[in-house]
Amino acid sequence: MAPSNKQLVIELMIKESHLAPDAAVEGLRTQHDASGGYEKDAALDLEGFKNVLKLRAEVEGQWGGHPPGPEKYYDSSYYDAALAKLKGQSE
């Protein structure tokens, strides 16, 4: 997400995703600048995830209409450990 990596990311998107250069530029802009793109440090939007569970319960009738807590599907300890390790390397 660092601006200094922009060109490298575009080149990787072109190579790895077989995108046209203009599509790679637009894709990067969308993911970084628009709502719904990548979160800082690849963090899960926990409130958004809770809302998805709630909607699935209401609309699809899953879980008898009562959504489970997000911890049933998401264990943040792995993310927290990885982020701590990365932050420790950058210091």
Side-chain angles (χ1 to χ4, degrees):
M1 292 182 75
S4 60
N5 293 330
K6 180 179 179 180
Q7 189 57 42
L8 178 60
V9 172
I10 290 169
E11 290 170 10
L12 283 169
M13 291 173 72
I14 291 168
K15 179 182 176 189
E16 299 297 327
S17 298
H18 308 286
L19 295 174
D22 58 331
V25 169
E26 179 63 17
L28 182 64
R29 187 201 61 75
T30 300
Q31 290 302 321
H32 284 258
D33 300 340
S35 174
Y38 291 120
E39 293 292 326
K40 183 173 172 44
D41 293 330
L44 176 71
D45 178 354
L46 194 55
E47 289 306 310
F49 184 54
K50 288 177 185 177
N51 195 43
V52 167
L53 294 173
K54 180 182 172 191
L55 286 170
R56 290 185 74 163
E58 289 176 9
V59 175
E60 297 178 1
Q62 292 184 340
W63 312 293
H66 303 285
E71 64 278 353
K72 179 175 181 178
Y73 299 101
Y74 176 65
D75 178 355
S76 67
S77 66
Y78 296 98
Y79 171 81
D80 295 339
L83 190 60
K85 184 175 181 179
L86 285 172
K87 287 186 177 183
Q89 291 176 355
S90 66
E91 294 177 10

